[in-house]
Amino acid sequence: MNVRTGAGVRSLARIVARDDGRGGTALPVLESDGPLALRRTRATGSEARVMLVGAMSGPLGGDHFAVEGRVEQGARLSVGSAAATIALPGQAKGEARYDVRLEVAEHGELHWLPEQLISARGSDLYVTTRVELAPSARLVLREEQVLGRVGEEPGRLTSRLTVRIAGQAVLDQELACGPGAPGGWDGPAVLAGHRAVGQLVVVRPEFAAEPVAAAVLGEGASVVPLAGPAALVTAVAPDALRLRRLLDEAFASLPQA
């Protein structure tokens, strides 16, 4: 659903993935319009693949984008995006919002791997990502934020990520950066002057018996076990390219299913 109002654009995209009973995954719901366009791409094995395409610029000030994804029992879904999302200032006053709501049922698997979110100068964006997982669900979720385009000061960016397994929170963190954010965000305890920050959440039932060991993964990245069958990788880097490399290397270092 896409509604244009004086306060900005409202847009909702919805995905439902379902086991098709033939060893694959069907997409009975794939709905979007306006700034958010969903496109099914070539499947791999039992996994369905969807690409999120930005059909318009934004989010701009006052916009509210939302994506809802549900992976039903036994289904497998991978979602990526065609390009980076750029938060821009707009004519409407107030912050822009981008809300992502994800659910994965028993024995379902979701790979949520969008491209970077870039906070352009003068923008004000609040992003929330909430994930609800069944006990046997699997997840790989990547978030990457870049503060400003090349040679540009960043806008204000606030990002909150919440992951729950069987109704229990295993991760609930918020990071605010840019003008107007609480002091210290660019200091040594947070970004240490870096312009790119990312996190990778990996949930696998086998981590309950063999938790991932906490470790420093090269310069600027670390992995810690979460209170559940999950691990969190956090990385900071001077630019988006280096950030992606750090997260890819961290993922490759984890025990593979």
Side-chain angles (χ1 to χ4, degrees):
M1 177 179 63
N2 171 246
V3 179
R4 182 174 294 278
T5 71
V9 172
R10 303 291 183 265
S11 184
L12 171 65
R14 297 177 61 237
I15 310 168
V16 175
R18 180 175 298 160
D19 185 346
D20 66 6
R22 303 187 302 274
T25 297
L27 297 172
V29 178
L30 196 64
E31 301 174 349
S32 61
D33 61 8
L36 300 175
L38 298 172
R39 300 288 183 264
R40 181 166 190 164
T41 60
R42 185 182 297 274
T44 300
S46 61
E47 178 185 77
R49 292 189 170 186
V50 173
M51 192 69 67
L52 182 61
V53 179
M56 297 170 56
S57 61
L60 310 179
D63 289 352
H64 188 176
F65 295 178
V67 180
E68 297 176 358
R70 186 171 81 249
V71 179
E72 298 185 352
Q73 184 170 345
R76 299 182 65 215
L77 174 66
S78 178
V79 180
S81 59
T85 297
I86 304 178
L88 297 165
Q91 295 181 349
K93 294 182 179 180
E95 69 179 11
R97 293 187 60 92
Y98 201 135
D99 297 324
V100 177
R101 304 289 180 264
L102 306 171
E103 299 178 29
V104 186
E106 296 284 2
H107 305 292
E109 183 170 352
L110 172 64
H111 288 204
W112 188 264
L113 304 170
E115 294 300 310
Q116 297 90 358
L117 171 62
I118 301 172
S119 174
R121 181 177 182 178
S123 64
D124 185 357
L125 177 63
Y126 186 73
V127 181
T128 62
T129 302
R130 297 180 184 175
V131 188
E132 295 281 349
L133 302 169
S136 61
R138 294 175 176 271
L139 173 73
V140 178
L141 181 147
R142 182 183 68 213
E143 286 192 343
E144 299 169 310
Q145 293 96 30
V146 179
L147 304 181
R149 293 168 290 193
V150 176
E152 177 185 65
E153 293 299 313
R156 178 169 179 172
L157 175 63
T158 304
S159 176
R160 182 171 183 178
L161 173 60
T162 305
V163 178
R164 293 165 59 92
I165 302 175
Q168 300 296 314
V170 299
L171 177 65
D172 190 348
Q173 68 176 23
E174 182 172 287
L175 176 65
C177 304
W185 64 268
D186 56 350
V190 187
L191 297 188
H194 291 94
R195 294 177 63 88
V197 58
Q199 40 277 330
L200 182 72
V201 181
V202 181
V203 178
R204 294 177 181 152
E206 55 267 30
F207 286 172
E210 298 183 11
V212 172
V216 175
L217 305 173
E219 184 177 351
S222 65
V223 58
V224 295
L226 299 177
L232 171 67
V233 175
T234 302
V236 294
D239 55 49
L241 182 62
R242 177 59 180 161
L243 177 66
R244 177 66 59 83
R245 187 176 304 145
L246 285 171
L247 293 176
D248 286 348
E249 291 172 353
F251 181 69
S253 74
L254 296 176
Q256 299 301 305

